[in-house]
Amino acid sequence: MRDLITQSVQELCAEHGATPLLICLAGSRAYGCHGPQSDYDVRFVYAYPAARYFSLTPPPDELHLPGEDVLGYELGKFLRIIRKNGWNAYELLHAPVWEAHCCADELRAVCAPSLRVGAMVHGLMSAAHVYLRRLLNLPPGDVGTMRECKLSLGTLRTLLSARYVMQNKAFYPLPVTELVQQIGTPEQQVLMAHLVRCRALEKLPDPQVLVEVCRHCEQMQAQLLATPLPQEVLSDEGLLNDFYMRVVNSLP
C-alpha cells in the first residue's frame, strides 16, 4: 500500500508540474491506534518551480488523491499554517516518513522556532471540544459501537497532547502509547491501553471504560480551560520566507 500511494502522489504532483517534498503517514496508523480495516491517511507537502507561480492561472495550493484520504499542501500554504500553529501541520513534520526530498530536514528545522505553546494548545483544545461534543451526543445507534471507541480515543489523545504541550513547551509524541506514558496518569494509561487493544482486535470496549474515558476527558478539558495560556508574539517569518524562496528557486 505504501508504494502504491507514494507512486500515486508522485504522479499527481507530476501532473501539476510540482515536486513532492515530504510524504507522511497520518491519522490512526501514525498514532498507533488503528484497526485492521483502518484507512491509510496520508499527507504531503509539495512545491512548484518559481516560474510556475508567475501565471494568470495560479497553481493549486492543495492536491487531493481521488477516492483516498490523501491530501497535499503547497509549500507556501503549509508554511502559513505553521505560522498560525496548526497542530495538524506540525504532526506532518513528526509523522512516519514515506518519502522525503533532500530539503525535508531543513523544513523541520526552520519550522521548529515557530511553535507557540498558547496557540498550539488553543488549536488542540478546539479539536478536542469537537470530539468530546460528538462523543457525548452520539445517536443511540452509535452507542456501544466501534465509532464510540474511535471518538473516545480521539478525544483522550487530543487532550493529552494539549496537556503535553502546556507542560513541556514542546511538540507531543504522536504514538498514543508513548504520549500517555509520558503525560497521562496510571489510570489513563490503563484506559488508553484498553481502547487501543479493542481497536486492534476490532472488539467492542468495556462500557465502563468508555464512561471513565468521558469522565477523564471532561476533567482534563476543565483543567486546561482554567489554565491561562501564555501570550506569545509571532515568530519572525524571515527564516520561513528565505527557505521557501530557496526551495522554489532550486526546483527544475
Coordinates of all heavy atoms in Angstrom, one line a residue, residues 150-233:
K150 N -13.6 4.9 18.8 CA -12.8 5.7 18.0 C -12.8 7.2 18.5 O -11.8 7.9 18.6 CB -13.1 5.7 16.5 CG -12.2 6.5 15.6 CD -12.7 6.3 14.1 CE -11.8 7.1 13.2 NZ -12.2 6.9 11.8
L151 N -14.0 7.7 18.8 CA -14.2 9.0 19.3 C -13.6 9.2 20.7 O -13.0 10.2 21.0 CB -15.7 9.4 19.3 CG -16.3 9.8 18.0 CD1 -17.8 10.0 18.2 CD2 -15.7 11.1 17.5
S152 N -13.7 8.1 21.5 CA -13.1 8.2 22.8 C -11.6 8.3 22.7 O -10.9 9.0 23.4 CB -13.5 6.9 23.6 OG -14.9 6.8 23.8
L153 N -11.0 7.5 21.8 CA -9.6 7.5 21.6 C -9.1 8.9 21.1 O -8.1 9.5 21.6 CB -9.2 6.5 20.5 CG -8.6 5.2 21.0 CD1 -8.5 4.2 19.9 CD2 -7.2 5.4 21.7
G154 N -9.9 9.5 20.2 CA -9.5 10.8 19.6 C -9.6 11.9 20.6 O -8.7 12.7 20.7
T155 N -10.6 11.8 21.5 CA -10.8 12.9 22.5 C -9.6 12.8 23.5 O -9.0 13.8 23.9 CB -12.1 12.7 23.2 OG1 -13.2 12.7 22.2 CG2 -12.4 13.9 24.1
L156 N -9.4 11.6 24.0 CA -8.4 11.4 25.0 C -7.0 11.8 24.5 O -6.2 12.4 25.1 CB -8.4 9.9 25.5 CG -7.4 9.5 26.7 CD1 -7.7 10.4 27.9 CD2 -7.6 8.1 27.0
R157 N -6.7 11.3 23.3 CA -5.4 11.6 22.7 C -5.2 13.1 22.5 O -4.1 13.7 22.8 CB -5.3 10.9 21.3 CG -4.0 11.2 20.6 CD -4.0 10.7 19.1 NE -5.0 11.5 18.4 CZ -4.7 12.7 17.8 NH1 -3.6 13.3 18.0 NH2 -5.6 13.3 17.1
T158 N -6.2 13.8 22.0 CA -6.0 15.3 21.7 C -5.9 16.1 23.0 O -5.1 17.0 23.1 CB -7.3 15.8 20.9 OG1 -7.5 14.9 19.8 CG2 -7.0 17.2 20.4
L159 N -6.6 15.7 24.1 CA -6.5 16.4 25.3 C -5.1 16.1 26.0 O -4.5 17.0 26.6 CB -7.6 16.0 26.3 CG -9.0 16.6 25.9 CD1 -10.1 16.0 26.7 CD2 -9.0 18.1 26.2
L160 N -4.7 14.9 25.9 CA -3.3 14.6 26.4 C -2.3 15.3 25.6 O -1.2 15.8 26.2 CB -3.1 13.1 26.3 CG -3.8 12.2 27.4 CD1 -3.6 10.7 27.0 CD2 -3.3 12.5 28.8
S161 N -2.4 15.5 24.3 CA -1.5 16.2 23.5 C -1.4 17.7 24.0 O -0.4 18.3 24.1 CB -1.9 16.2 22.0 OG -1.9 14.8 21.6
A162 N -2.6 18.3 24.2 CA -2.7 19.7 24.7 C -2.0 19.8 26.1 O -1.2 20.7 26.3 CB -4.1 20.1 24.8
R163 N -2.2 18.8 27.0 CA -1.5 18.8 28.3 C 0.0 18.7 28.1 O 0.7 19.4 28.8 CB -2.0 17.7 29.1 CG -1.4 17.6 30.5 CD -1.6 16.3 31.2 NE -3.0 16.2 31.8 CZ -3.5 15.2 32.4 NH1 -2.8 14.0 32.4 NH2 -4.7 15.2 32.9
Y164 N 0.4 17.9 27.2 CA 1.9 17.7 27.0 C 2.5 19.0 26.5 O 3.5 19.4 27.0 CB 2.1 16.6 25.9 CG 3.6 16.3 25.7 CD1 4.2 15.2 26.4 CD2 4.4 17.1 24.9 CE1 5.5 14.9 26.2 CE2 5.7 16.8 24.7 CZ 6.3 15.7 25.3 OH 7.6 15.4 25.2
V165 N 1.9 19.7 25.5 CA 2.4 20.9 25.0 C 2.5 22.0 26.1 O 3.5 22.7 26.3 CB 1.6 21.5 23.8 CG1 2.1 22.8 23.4 CG2 1.7 20.5 22.7
M166 N 1.4 22.1 26.9 CA 1.3 23.0 28.0 C 2.4 22.8 29.0 O 3.1 23.7 29.5 CB 0.0 23.0 28.7 CG -0.2 23.9 29.8 SD -0.3 25.7 29.3 CE -2.0 25.7 28.9
Q167 N 2.7 21.5 29.4 CA 3.6 21.2 30.5 C 5.1 21.2 30.0 O 6.0 21.6 30.7 CB 3.3 19.9 31.1 CG 2.0 19.9 31.9 CD 1.7 18.7 32.7 OE1 2.6 17.8 32.8 NE2 0.5 18.5 33.2
N168 N 5.3 20.8 28.7 CA 6.7 20.6 28.3 C 7.2 21.7 27.3 O 8.3 21.7 27.0 CB 6.8 19.2 27.6 CG 6.6 18.1 28.5 OD1 7.5 17.7 29.3 ND2 5.4 17.5 28.6
K169 N 6.2 22.6 26.9 CA 6.6 23.7 26.0 C 7.3 23.1 24.7 O 8.2 23.6 24.2 CB 7.5 24.7 26.7 CG 7.1 25.2 28.0 CD 5.8 26.0 27.9 CE 5.4 26.7 29.2 NZ 4.9 25.7 30.2
A170 N 6.8 22.0 24.3 CA 7.3 21.3 23.1 C 6.2 20.5 22.4 O 5.1 20.3 23.0 CB 8.5 20.4 23.5
F171 N 6.5 20.0 21.2 CA 5.5 19.2 20.5 C 5.4 17.8 21.1 O 6.4 17.3 21.6 CB 5.9 19.1 19.0 CG 4.8 18.6 18.2 CD1 3.7 19.4 17.8 CD2 4.8 17.3 17.7 CE1 2.6 18.9 17.1 CE2 3.7 16.8 16.9 CZ 2.7 17.6 16.6
Y172 N 4.2 17.3 21.0 CA 3.9 16.0 21.7 C 4.3 14.8 20.8 O 4.4 14.9 19.6 CB 2.4 15.9 22.0 CG 1.5 16.3 20.8 CD1 1.1 15.3 19.9 CD2 1.2 17.6 20.6 CE1 0.3 15.6 18.8 CE2 0.3 17.9 19.5 CZ -0.1 16.9 18.6 OH -0.9 17.3 17.5
P173 N 4.6 13.7 21.4 CA 4.9 12.4 20.6 C 3.6 11.9 20.0 O 2.5 12.0 20.6 CB 5.4 11.4 21.7 CG 5.0 12.0 23.0 CD 4.8 13.4 22.9
L174 N 3.7 11.5 18.7 CA 2.5 11.0 18.0 C 2.0 9.7 18.5 O 0.8 9.5 18.7 CB 2.8 11.0 16.5 CG 2.8 12.3 15.8 CD1 2.7 12.0 14.3 CD2 1.6 13.2 16.1
P175 N 2.8 8.7 18.7 CA 2.2 7.4 19.2 C 1.5 7.5 20.5 O 2.1 8.0 21.5 CB 3.5 6.5 19.3 CG 4.5 7.1 18.4 CD 4.3 8.6 18.5
V176 N 0.3 7.1 20.5 CA -0.5 7.3 21.7 C 0.0 6.6 23.0 O -0.1 7.1 24.1 CB -2.0 6.9 21.5 CG1 -2.7 7.8 20.5 CG2 -2.1 5.4 21.1
T177 N 0.6 5.4 22.8 CA 1.2 4.7 23.9 C 2.3 5.5 24.6 O 2.4 5.6 25.8 CB 1.7 3.3 23.5 OG1 2.5 3.4 22.4 CG2 0.5 2.4 23.2
E178 N 3.2 6.1 23.7 CA 4.3 6.9 24.2 C 3.7 8.2 24.9 O 4.2 8.6 25.9 CB 5.2 7.3 23.1 CG 6.4 8.1 23.5 CD 7.3 8.4 22.4 OE1 7.2 7.8 21.3 OE2 8.2 9.3 22.5
L179 N 2.7 8.8 24.3 CA 2.1 10.0 24.8 C 1.5 9.8 26.2 O 1.8 10.6 27.1 CB 1.1 10.5 23.8 CG 0.2 11.7 24.3 CD1 1.1 13.0 24.4 CD2 -0.9 12.0 23.3
V180 N 0.7 8.8 26.3 CA 0.0 8.6 27.6 C 1.0 8.1 28.7 O 0.9 8.5 29.9 CB -1.1 7.6 27.4 CG1 -0.6 6.1 27.3 CG2 -2.1 7.6 28.6
Q181 N 2.1 7.5 28.3 CA 3.1 7.1 29.3 C 3.9 8.3 29.8 O 4.2 8.3 31.0 CB 4.1 6.1 28.7 CG 3.6 4.7 28.5 CD 4.5 3.8 27.7 OE1 5.6 4.2 27.3 NE2 4.1 2.5 27.5
Q182 N 4.1 9.3 29.0 CA 4.8 10.5 29.4 C 4.0 11.5 30.1 O 4.5 12.2 31.0 CB 5.4 11.1 28.1 CG 6.5 10.3 27.5 CD 7.4 11.1 26.5 OE1 7.5 12.3 26.7 NE2 7.9 10.5 25.5
I183 N 2.7 11.6 29.8 CA 1.9 12.7 30.4 C 0.6 12.2 31.1 O 0.0 13.0 31.8 CB 1.6 13.7 29.2 CG1 1.3 15.1 29.8 CG2 0.4 13.2 28.4 CD1 2.4 15.8 30.4
G184 N 0.2 11.0 30.9 CA -1.0 10.5 31.5 C -0.9 10.0 32.9 O 0.2 9.6 33.3
T185 N -2.0 9.9 33.6 CA -2.0 9.2 34.9 C -2.0 7.7 34.7 O -2.3 7.2 33.6 CB -3.2 9.7 35.7 OG1 -4.4 9.1 35.0 CG2 -3.3 11.2 35.8
P186 N -1.6 7.0 35.7 CA -1.7 5.5 35.6 C -3.1 5.0 35.2 O -3.2 4.1 34.4 CB -1.4 5.0 37.0 CG -0.5 6.1 37.6 CD -1.0 7.4 37.1
E187 N -4.1 5.6 35.7 CA -5.5 5.2 35.3 C -5.7 5.5 33.8 O -6.3 4.7 33.1 CB -6.5 5.9 36.1 CG -8.0 5.4 35.9 CD -9.0 6.0 36.8 OE1 -8.6 6.9 37.6 OE2 -10.2 5.6 36.7
Q188 N -5.2 6.6 33.3 CA -5.4 7.0 31.9 C -4.6 6.1 31.0 O -5.0 5.7 29.9 CB -5.0 8.4 31.7 CG -6.0 9.4 32.3 CD -5.4 10.8 32.4 OE1 -4.3 11.1 32.1 NE2 -6.3 11.8 32.8
Q189 N -3.4 5.6 31.5 CA -2.6 4.6 30.8 C -3.4 3.3 30.6 O -3.4 2.7 29.5 CB -1.3 4.4 31.5 CG -0.4 5.6 31.5 CD 0.9 5.3 32.3 OE1 1.2 4.2 32.5 NE2 1.5 6.4 32.7
V190 N -4.1 2.9 31.6 CA -4.9 1.7 31.5 C -6.0 1.8 30.6 O -6.3 1.0 29.7 CB -5.4 1.3 32.9 CG1 -6.4 0.1 32.8 CG2 -4.3 0.9 33.8
L191 N -6.7 3.0 30.6 CA -7.9 3.3 29.7 C -7.4 3.3 28.3 O -8.1 2.7 27.4 CB -8.5 4.6 30.1 CG -9.2 4.7 31.5 CD1 -9.7 6.1 31.8 CD2 -10.4 3.7 31.5
M192 N -6.3 4.0 28.0 CA -5.8 4.1 26.7 C -5.4 2.7 26.1 O -5.7 2.4 25.0 CB -4.6 5.0 26.6 CG -4.0 5.2 25.2 SD -5.1 6.2 24.1 CE -4.6 7.9 24.6
A193 N -4.7 1.9 26.9 CA -4.3 0.6 26.5 C -5.5 -0.3 26.1 O -5.5 -1.0 25.2 CB -3.5 -0.1 27.6
H194 N -6.6 -0.2 26.9 CA -7.8 -0.9 26.6 C -8.4 -0.5 25.3 O -8.8 -1.3 24.5 CB -8.8 -0.7 27.7 CG -10.1 -1.5 27.5 ND1 -10.2 -2.8 27.8 CD2 -11.3 -1.1 27.1 CE1 -11.5 -3.2 27.6 NE2 -12.2 -2.2 27.1
L195 N -8.5 0.8 25.1 CA -9.1 1.3 23.8 C -8.2 0.9 22.6 O -8.8 0.5 21.6 CB -9.2 2.8 23.9 CG -10.2 3.4 24.9 CD1 -10.1 4.9 24.9 CD2 -11.6 2.9 24.5
V196 N -6.9 1.0 22.7 CA -6.0 0.7 21.6 C -6.1 -0.8 21.3 O -6.2 -1.2 20.1 CB -4.5 1.0 22.0 CG1 -3.6 0.4 20.9 CG2 -4.4 2.5 22.0
R197 N -6.2 -1.7 22.3 CA -6.3 -3.1 22.1 C -7.6 -3.4 21.4 O -7.7 -4.3 20.5 CB -6.2 -3.8 23.5 CG -6.2 -5.3 23.4 CD -5.8 -6.0 24.7 NE -6.6 -5.6 25.8 CZ -6.3 -4.8 26.8 NH1 -5.0 -4.3 26.8 NH2 -7.1 -4.5 27.7
C198 N -8.7 -2.8 21.9 CA -10.0 -3.0 21.2 C -10.0 -2.6 19.8 O -10.6 -3.4 18.9 CB -11.1 -2.2 22.0 SG -11.5 -2.9 23.6
R199 N -9.4 -1.5 19.4 CA -9.3 -1.1 18.0 C -8.5 -2.1 17.2 O -8.9 -2.5 16.1 CB -8.6 0.3 17.9 CG -9.5 1.4 18.3 CD -10.4 1.9 17.1 NE -9.5 2.6 16.1 CZ -9.9 2.8 14.9 NH1 -11.1 2.4 14.4 NH2 -9.2 3.5 14.0
A200 N -7.4 -2.6 17.8 CA -6.5 -3.5 17.0 C -7.2 -4.8 16.8 O -7.1 -5.5 15.7 CB -5.2 -3.8 17.8
L201 N -8.1 -5.3 17.7 CA -8.8 -6.6 17.6 C -10.2 -6.4 17.1 O -10.9 -7.4 16.9 CB -8.8 -7.2 19.0 CG -7.5 -7.6 19.7 CD1 -7.7 -8.1 21.1 CD2 -6.7 -8.5 18.8
E202 N -10.6 -5.2 16.8 CA -12.0 -4.9 16.4 C -13.0 -5.5 17.4 O -14.0 -6.1 17.0 CB -12.2 -5.4 15.0 CG -11.5 -4.6 13.9 CD -11.9 -4.9 12.5 OE1 -12.2 -6.1 12.2 OE2 -12.1 -4.0 11.7
K203 N -12.7 -5.2 18.6 CA -13.5 -5.7 19.7 C -14.2 -4.5 20.5 O -13.5 -3.5 20.7 CB -12.6 -6.5 20.7 CG -13.3 -7.0 22.0 CD -12.3 -7.6 22.9 CE -12.9 -8.0 24.2 NZ -11.9 -8.6 25.2
L204 N -15.4 -4.7 20.8 CA -16.1 -3.6 21.5 C -15.5 -3.4 22.9 O -15.3 -4.3 23.6 CB -17.6 -3.9 21.6 CG -18.4 -3.9 20.3 CD1 -19.9 -4.2 20.5 CD2 -18.3 -2.6 19.6
P205 N -15.3 -2.1 23.3 CA -14.7 -1.9 24.6 C -15.7 -2.1 25.7 O -16.9 -2.1 25.5 CB -14.3 -0.4 24.5 CG -15.1 0.2 23.4 CD -15.4 -0.9 22.4
D206 N -15.2 -2.2 26.9 CA -16.0 -2.3 28.1 C -16.8 -1.0 28.2 O -16.1 0.0 28.3 CB -15.1 -2.6 29.3 CG -15.8 -2.8 30.6 OD1 -16.9 -2.3 30.7 OD2 -15.3 -3.5 31.5
P207 N -18.1 -1.1 28.4 CA -18.9 0.2 28.5 C -18.4 1.0 29.7 O -18.4 2.3 29.6 CB -20.3 -0.4 28.8 CG -20.3 -1.7 28.1 CD -18.9 -2.3 28.3
Q208 N -17.9 0.4 30.8 CA -17.5 1.2 31.9 C -16.2 1.9 31.6 O -16.0 3.1 32.1 CB -17.2 0.3 33.1 CG -16.9 1.0 34.4 CD -18.0 2.0 34.8 OE1 -19.1 1.7 34.7 NE2 -17.5 3.1 35.3
V209 N -15.4 1.4 30.7 CA -14.2 2.1 30.3 C -14.5 3.3 29.5 O -13.9 4.4 29.7 CB -13.3 1.2 29.4 CG1 -12.2 2.0 28.7 CG2 -12.7 0.1 30.2
L210 N -15.5 3.3 28.7 CA -16.0 4.4 27.9 C -16.5 5.5 28.9 O -16.3 6.7 28.6 CB -17.0 4.0 26.9 CG -16.6 3.0 25.8 CD1 -17.7 2.6 24.9 CD2 -15.5 3.6 25.0
V211 N -17.2 5.1 29.9 CA -17.7 6.1 30.9 C -16.6 6.8 31.6 O -16.6 8.0 31.7 CB -18.6 5.4 31.9 CG1 -18.9 6.3 33.1 CG2 -19.9 4.9 31.3
E212 N -15.5 6.0 31.9 CA -14.4 6.5 32.6 C -13.6 7.5 31.7 O -13.1 8.5 32.1 CB -13.5 5.4 33.1 CG -14.0 4.7 34.4 CD -14.2 5.7 35.5 OE1 -13.2 6.3 35.9 OE2 -15.3 5.8 36.1
V213 N -13.5 7.1 30.4 CA -12.8 8.0 29.5 C -13.5 9.3 29.4 O -12.8 10.4 29.4 CB -12.7 7.3 28.1 CG1 -12.2 8.3 27.0 CG2 -11.8 6.1 28.1
C214 N -14.8 9.3 29.3 CA -15.5 10.6 29.2 C -15.3 11.4 30.5 O -15.1 12.6 30.4 CB -17.0 10.3 29.1 SG -17.5 9.8 27.4
R215 N -15.3 10.7 31.6 CA -15.1 11.5 32.9 C -13.7 12.1 32.9 O -13.5 13.3 33.2 CB -15.2 10.5 34.1 CG -15.1 11.2 35.4 CD -15.3 10.2 36.6 NE -14.3 9.2 36.7 CZ -13.2 9.4 37.3 NH1 -12.9 10.5 37.8 NH2 -12.3 8.4 37.3
H216 N -12.7 11.4 32.5 CA -11.3 11.9 32.5 C -11.2 13.0 31.4 O -10.5 14.0 31.7 CB -10.3 10.8 32.1 CG -9.9 10.0 33.3 ND1 -8.8 10.2 34.1 CD2 -10.5 8.9 33.8 CE1 -8.7 9.3 35.0 NE2 -9.7 8.5 34.9
C217 N -11.8 12.9 30.3 CA -11.7 13.9 29.3 C -12.4 15.2 29.7 O -11.9 16.3 29.5 CB -12.4 13.4 28.0 SG -11.4 12.2 27.1
E218 N -13.6 15.1 30.4 CA -14.2 16.3 30.9 C -13.4 17.0 31.9 O -13.3 18.2 32.0 CB -15.6 15.9 31.4 CG -16.6 15.5 30.4 CD -18.0 15.1 30.9 OE1 -18.0 14.3 31.8 OE2 -19.0 15.7 30.5
Q219 N -12.7 16.2 32.8 CA -11.9 16.8 33.8 C -10.7 17.5 33.2 O -10.3 18.6 33.6 CB -11.4 15.7 34.8 CG -12.5 15.2 35.7 CD -12.0 14.0 36.6 OE1 -10.9 13.5 36.4 NE2 -12.8 13.7 37.6
M220 N -10.0 16.8 32.3 CA -8.9 17.4 31.6 C -9.3 18.7 30.9 O -8.5 19.7 30.9 CB -8.2 16.4 30.6 CG -7.2 15.5 31.3 SD -6.1 14.7 30.0 CE -7.3 13.7 29.2
Q221 N -10.4 18.7 30.2 CA -10.9 19.8 29.5 C -11.1 21.0 30.4 O -10.6 22.1 30.2 CB -12.2 19.5 28.7 CG -12.7 20.7 27.9 CD -14.0 20.4 27.3 OE1 -14.9 20.0 27.9 NE2 -14.1 20.6 26.0
A222 N -11.7 20.7 31.6 CA -12.0 21.8 32.6 C -10.6 22.3 33.1 O -10.5 23.6 33.3 CB -12.8 21.2 33.7
Q223 N -9.7 21.5 33.4 CA -8.4 21.9 33.9 C -7.6 22.8 32.9 O -7.1 23.8 33.3 CB -7.6 20.7 34.3 CG -8.1 19.9 35.5 CD -7.4 18.6 35.7 OE1 -6.6 18.2 34.9 NE2 -7.8 17.9 36.7
L224 N -7.6 22.4 31.7 CA -6.9 23.1 30.6 C -7.6 24.5 30.4 O -6.9 25.5 30.2 CB -6.9 22.3 29.3 CG -5.9 21.1 29.4 CD1 -6.1 20.2 28.2 CD2 -4.4 21.6 29.3
L225 N -8.9 24.5 30.4 CA -9.6 25.7 30.2 C -9.4 26.7 31.3 O -9.4 27.9 31.1 CB -11.1 25.5 30.1 CG -11.6 24.8 28.8 CD1 -13.1 24.5 28.8 CD2 -11.4 25.8 27.6
A226 N -9.1 26.2 32.5 CA -8.9 27.0 33.7 C -7.4 27.5 33.8 O -7.1 28.4 34.6 CB -9.2 26.3 35.0
T227 N -6.6 27.0 32.9 CA -5.2 27.4 32.9 C -4.9 28.5 31.9 O -5.2 28.4 30.7 CB -4.3 26.2 32.5 OG1 -4.5 25.1 33.4 CG2 -2.8 26.6 32.6
P228 N -4.4 29.7 32.4 CA -4.2 30.8 31.4 C -3.1 30.4 30.4 O -2.1 29.8 30.7 CB -3.6 31.9 32.3 CG -4.0 31.5 33.7 CD -4.1 30.0 33.8
L229 N -3.4 30.7 29.1 CA -2.5 30.4 28.1 C -1.5 31.6 27.9 O -1.9 32.7 28.1 CB -3.2 30.3 26.7 CG -4.2 29.1 26.7 CD1 -4.9 29.0 25.3 CD2 -3.5 27.8 26.9
P230 N -0.2 31.3 27.7 CA 0.8 32.3 27.5 C 0.5 33.2 26.3 O 0.0 32.7 25.3 CB 2.1 31.6 27.4 CG 1.7 30.2 26.9 CD 0.4 29.9 27.5
Q231 N 0.8 34.5 26.5 CA 0.6 35.4 25.3 C 2.0 35.5 24.6 O 3.0 35.9 25.2 CB 0.2 36.8 25.8 CG -1.1 36.8 26.5 CD -2.3 36.4 25.6 OE1 -2.3 36.9 24.5 NE2 -3.1 35.6 26.1
E232 N 2.0 35.0 23.4 CA 3.3 34.9 22.6 C 3.2 35.7 21.4 O 2.2 35.9 20.7 CB 3.6 33.5 22.3 CG 3.7 32.6 23.6 CD 3.4 31.1 23.3 OE1 2.3 30.8 22.7 OE2 4.2 30.3 23.6
V233 N 4.4 36.2 21.0 CA 4.5 37.0 19.8 C 4.8 36.1 18.6 O 5.5 35.1 18.7 CB 5.6 38.1 19.9 CG1 5.8 38.9 18.7 CG2 5.3 39.0 21.1

